[in-house]
Amino acid sequence: QVQLVESGGGSVQAGGSLRLSCGASKYTINTRCMGWFRQAPGKEREGVATIHSDGSTSYADSVKGRFTISKDNAKNTLDLYMNSLKPEDTAMYYCAAEDTLYGGTWYGGCVYGYWGQGTQVAVSS
């Protein structure tokens, strides 16, 4: 059973930085799309960033220039570096992995079907 486990969330003041990490088990990330999503209270889940198997990336307009997605194929981990955080970045952040067999949520040219449990990010003004 595929497992994705996020870590690194927390509380930070506006302008600060956080790094989120996601460890994958029973899933090899180097040949798949991986992504980060977030969901704020009362809002729908939205895609934040995608990294393809070739290392190419795409970002939501709201985080471009501030967030960086990266992966370590050897460690089978995914990271999200978040800089210049804003109060509107406050949300539960989810790691997601591609599932081309059963489908799911489309974002950044990939379909995601595996999800982590989420890690909370709170940015205060």
Side-chain angles (χ1 to χ4, degrees):
Q1 183 176 342
V2 173
Q3 276 196 317
L4 303 173
V5 180
E6 302 97 334
S7 61
S11 297
V12 65
Q13 288 192 327
S17 300
L18 283 174
R19 172 191 172 188
L20 305 183
S21 294
C22 173
S25 60
K26 297 188 178 180
Y27 188 94
T28 303
I29 72 170
N30 67 337
T31 60
R32 308 289 194 93
C33 278
M34 296 292 295
W36 288 96
F37 289 73
R38 67 185 181 187
Q39 187 168 20
K43 294 188 176 181
E44 292 188 355
R45 184 174 60 191
E46 64 175 353
V48 174
T50 290
I51 185 165
H52 293 257
S53 56
D54 63 359
S56 60
T57 59
S58 61
Y59 297 91
D61 287 342
S62 59
V63 307
K64 276 181 185 175
R66 300 188 298 121
F67 290 12
T68 302
I69 187 172
S70 67
K71 60 178 180 173
D72 186 326
N73 290 330
K75 295 181 179 180
N76 215 38
T77 57
L78 177 75
D79 289 324
L80 184 68
Y81 295 87
M82 305 187 295
N83 298 315
S84 302
L85 283 161
K86 304 175 181 180
E88 50 264 43
D89 294 318
T90 295
M92 185 72 80
Y93 283 73
Y94 297 92
C95 171
E98 186 178 31
D99 181 0
T100 55
L101 182 61
Y102 294 107
T105 301
W106 281 93
Y107 175 71
C110 304
V111 58
Y112 294 96
Y114 299 106
W115 301 88
Q117 83 288 352
T119 186
Q120 182 68 45
V121 171
V123 184
S124 58
S125 57

